[in-house]
Amino acid sequence: METSGGIQASLSGRYATALFELARETKAIDTVEASLATVRAALDQSDDFKRLTQSPLVSRKDAANATAAVADELGLDATTRKFLGVLADNRRLSQLPAVIRAFRELAANFRGETTAEVASAHPLSDDQVDALKQQLRTRVGRDVSVDLTVDPSLLGGLVVRIGSQMIDSSIKTRLNTLAHAMKG
């Protein structure tokens, strides 16, 4: 697992660390983390928002205006809203997914948890997430915060990453392994 020193080595990590320190000082870690989860969901669900964050052709002013409008629509807290404005002004919106991951890791470490990145072929129900957290807690011996993404190309199953460890039970990997074995 990356330490906060390792996180700070990357550009997205430096942004995440600055946001985390501000959230900690204002006792708003949970609030900011919830807002970032909302932003992450918006990135996954809205191709327009994703394009806005990825396109180098969008001017700083247009990016700032658009992110302010999205922040209003999503009901984000003031700290996260300002942070998105800073990313837009610095033309760093493309770093947003990595910043969100790094912030979640910092928040989990702060709470004494481990973070697991979980990719599933379909969205998981709350009961499935709770069961997964329980299994991971048993495996790693501490509470686990999960960062969920949906990747339809997996076909089924899960891919779980905890630090440098990966558990891949996806149907896609099983089919690839079977196809490779059949080639001899």
Side-chain angles (χ1 to χ4, degrees):
M1 178 107 121
E2 248 180 358
T3 63
S4 61
I7 288 174
Q8 289 180 344
S10 68
L11 179 66
S12 58
R14 289 193 298 274
Y15 276 104
T17 300
L19 178 60
F20 179 79
E21 293 300 328
L22 181 61
R24 189 171 65 178
E25 287 171 16
T26 59
K27 299 188 179 359
I29 294 171
D30 292 343
T31 304
V32 171
E33 190 171 20
S35 284
L36 290 176
T38 301
V39 171
R40 173 68 178 271
L43 283 170
D44 289 343
Q45 295 165 6
S46 170
D47 289 337
D48 288 341
F49 184 44
K50 190 174 203 165
R51 268 193 300 278
L52 166 73
T53 64
Q54 300 297 323
S55 175
L57 303 177
V58 178
S59 73
R60 287 175 200 240
K61 183 179 179 189
D62 289 345
N65 290 339
T67 54
V70 168
D72 287 341
E73 188 175 322
L74 296 176
L76 304 181
D77 69 285
T79 302
T80 305
R81 183 184 313 248
K82 287 178 191 167
F83 180 74
L84 290 177
V86 169
L87 288 180
D89 286 344
N90 293 337
R91 302 193 66 74
R92 298 290 186 217
L93 284 172
S94 63
Q95 296 286 318
L96 200 46
V99 169
I100 293 169
R101 271 193 306 278
F103 185 93
R104 285 185 55 97
E105 188 173 331
L106 289 166
N109 286 339
F110 181 74
R111 289 188 298 265
E113 297 173 345
T114 298
T115 302
E117 292 180 31
V118 179
S120 61
H122 308 282
L124 299 178
S125 71
D126 290 343
D127 288 343
Q128 289 172 319
V129 172
D130 290 342
L132 177 62
K133 283 182 177 181
Q134 184 61 41
Q135 288 176 343
L136 293 173
R137 182 183 304 125
T138 301
R139 184 177 180 125
V140 299
R142 61 194 288 201
D143 285 341
V144 178
S145 165
V146 294
D147 183 9
L148 302 168
T149 56
V150 175
D151 180 358
S153 75
L154 297 177
L155 304 176
L158 300 172
V159 176
V160 180
R161 283 187 185 84
I162 302 174
S164 61
Q165 209 179 19
M166 184 169 91
I167 306 160
D168 187 341
S169 67
S170 68
I171 292 174
K172 176 182 177 182
T173 298
R174 290 182 196 169
L175 289 173
N176 287 341
T177 302
L178 181 62
H180 185 66
M182 291 175 70
K183 286 182 184 174

